[in-house]
Amino acid sequence: MISFEHIKDRLRGISIAPVITPFNESGSIDFGTLEHLIDWQIKSGSHAISVTGTSGEPSSLTIEERVQVMETAMNVIDGRVPFLPGTGSTNHDETMFLTMKAHEIGADAAMVIVPYYNKPNQGALYKHYKTVADSVDLPIIVYNIPGRTAVNLEVETLAKLSKDCPNIIGVKESNKDFEHVNRVLLHCGRDFLLYSGIELLCYPMLAIGGAGSISATANVVPAKVAELHNAWNEGNLKRAQDLHFELMPLNDVLFKDTNPAPAKAALGIMGKINPTLRMPMDVPSKELQEEIKNVLKDYVDLKNSVANN
C-alpha cells in the first residue's frame, strides 16, 4: 500500500491559490494570461496552486478545456510548488476521467467537489468518492461546499471515507458551520488535512489544527494570504491575527456577488486580466465594481499594478 505521508507534510500550513480561468473577450480561454497568473502566484509566495475549482468556473468549461487548463498549469508550475487541480463534476464518469488525467499528468493531489445539483444521499456520496479514490494512486482532497452543491458531506461519511480510502487525505471545507469543521478533525484524526474555503475562517481553522486555506482572495493579494500562513508557521500569532483582520474588508467585498465575478473584476482593475466570465455568469454591477476598486486601493498600488501588466 502506497504511503501518502510525504505529500501530507508538503501540503500542511499552506496557502493554496485557486486560480481563476481567464477568458478573452470572445469567451475563449486566454492561456497566455493563465500562464502569467500562475507564475505571478508562485513568485508572490503562494505555497501551492489549484485550477478548475470554483474560482476557475469549471462548470462553464468543456472537459477538453479542463484538461488543457490542468496541463497548462502543470507545465508552468514545473515542480516549483504542489499542484492540486479540481477534478470533480456533477457527472461521476467525468470526475473519474479528470481525476485519472490529473494522476497521468503528475499532479500532487486532486480536489474533488461534492457533486452539485444531483443532491446525492450520504450513501451515494460514499460510493462516489470511494470509487474515485480506488481508481487512482493519487491523494484526494474532498471539497465540501454545501452552499453550491445543495448537500453537505456529513462528518460521519467523511470519517468513513478517510478510514476506508488511504488516499483521501484531506478536505476543503467551504462550510460556515465551525462546529462541523471541528468535528472533522475529531473524527477523521488530527493529521487529516483540513483546509478553509471560507475566508473569515482561514485563521480560526489554523488555530484548531487546520492545514491551511484555499481562498479566492489569494487570486488578488497572494502575498498577503501566504504571509498569514507564514506568520502562523513561524509562531508569530500577533502578525497572523493582524493579517486576518487586515484582509477582512477585501474578503467581504469579494463575496458581495458570486465568486469569481468580484475576484475577476479586481484582477481586471489591477490590469492583470480581461474580467470576462462565461454566461450564465456575468460581471458585477458598476456600483460593486466601484466599491471593489475603492477597497483595493488599501491593498494594491493600482497605478503601478496597471502600468506593470
Side-chain angles (χ1 to χ4, degrees):
M1 183 178 294
I2 295 175
S3 171
F4 296 98
E5 292 307 313
H6 63 294
I7 188 63
K8 288 176 74 172
D9 290 341
R10 291 185 69 205
L11 297 180
R12 187 174 293 283
I14 63 175
S15 168
I16 303 171
V19 179
I20 60 98
T21 303
F23 299 121
N24 297 301
E25 286 189 12
S26 65
S28 62
I29 298 174
D30 185 346
F31 285 101
T33 296
L34 176 62
E35 292 173 357
H36 173 77
L37 287 174
I38 292 170
D39 192 57
W40 174 63
Q41 283 286 337
I42 296 170
K43 290 177 178 177
S44 297
S46 290
H47 306 114
I49 298 293
S50 182
V51 295
T52 61
T54 301
S55 297
E57 297 173 74
S59 61
S60 297
L61 304 177
T62 66
I63 297 302
E64 293 76 16
E65 286 175 327
R66 291 184 66 169
V67 171
Q68 289 177 315
V69 169
M70 288 195 297
E71 291 176 338
T72 298
M74 189 73 192
N75 289 335
V76 176
I77 293 166
D78 193 28
R80 289 181 287 173
V81 296
F83 178 43
L84 303 84
T87 62
S89 167
T90 192
N91 181 294
H92 175 77
D93 288 343
E94 289 178 357
T95 301
M96 292 280 286
F97 172 79
L98 289 167
T99 305
M100 288 188 280
K101 181 61 68 172
H103 187 211
E104 178 185 311
I105 67 174
D108 295 280
M111 187 169 63
V112 182
I113 194 170
V114 169
Y116 37 93
Y117 183 76
N118 293 322
K119 297 182 70 175
N121 61 36
Q122 296 300 304
L125 286 173
Y126 174 86
K127 184 176 180 180
H128 169 70
Y129 275 108
K130 189 171 191 310
T131 304
V132 173
D134 287 348
S135 72
V136 290
D137 290 324
L138 180 71
I140 302 293
I141 305 294
V142 174
Y143 181 11
N144 189 30
I145 179 168
R148 292 264 192 169
T149 63
V151 63
N152 186 41
L153 182 67
E154 300 295 344
V155 172
E156 293 79 6
T157 307
L158 183 60
K160 182 170 173 53
L161 284 166
S162 71
K163 290 177 175 62
D164 294 347
C165 305
N167 58 329
I168 293 183
I169 63 171
V171 62
K172 175 186 177 182
E173 283 284 357
S174 292
N175 196 325
K176 293 184 177 180
D177 183 348
F178 200 56
E179 290 189 13
H180 171 100
V181 298
N182 274 268
R183 295 185 191 284
V184 166
L185 290 182
L186 176 66
H187 293 284
C188 295
R190 300 273 290 279
D191 64 338
F192 197 66
L193 300 177
L194 171 66
Y195 298 100
S196 176
I198 299 292
E199 277 60 27
L200 294 191
L201 294 182
C202 289
Y203 176 77
M205 277 205 200
L206 291 173
I208 64 168
S213 69
I214 307 174
S215 166
T217 304
N219 275 292
V220 181
V221 287
K224 288 281 188 189
V225 178
E227 186 187 352
L228 187 156
H229 293 77
N230 293 339
W232 174 266
N233 293 333
E234 293 162 5
N236 189 346
L237 304 190
K238 176 65 165 57
R239 179 59 181 155
Q241 290 170 352
D242 288 346
L243 284 162
H244 168 71
F245 287 104
E246 181 182 333
L247 286 165
M248 280 181 65
L250 182 59
N251 290 332
D252 287 344
V253 79
L254 290 180
F255 285 87
K256 287 195 172 183
D257 196 355
T258 304
N259 180 48
K264 280 194 159 185
L267 288 168
I269 293 165
M270 294 164 64
K272 290 194 172 294
I273 68 166
N274 181 320
T276 301
L277 295 96
R278 284 183 175 174
M279 291 192 288
M281 298 285 286
D282 201 2
V283 298
S285 67
K286 290 182 179 178
E287 292 78 11
L288 180 53
Q289 290 183 50
E290 189 62 28
E291 186 178 353
I292 292 168
K293 183 175 181 179
N294 288 334
V295 172
L296 265 182
K297 292 174 182 177
D298 292 333
Y299 299 87
V300 177
D301 183 341
L302 293 179
K303 184 179 293 186
N304 286 334
S305 179
V306 171
N308 292 331
N309 288 283

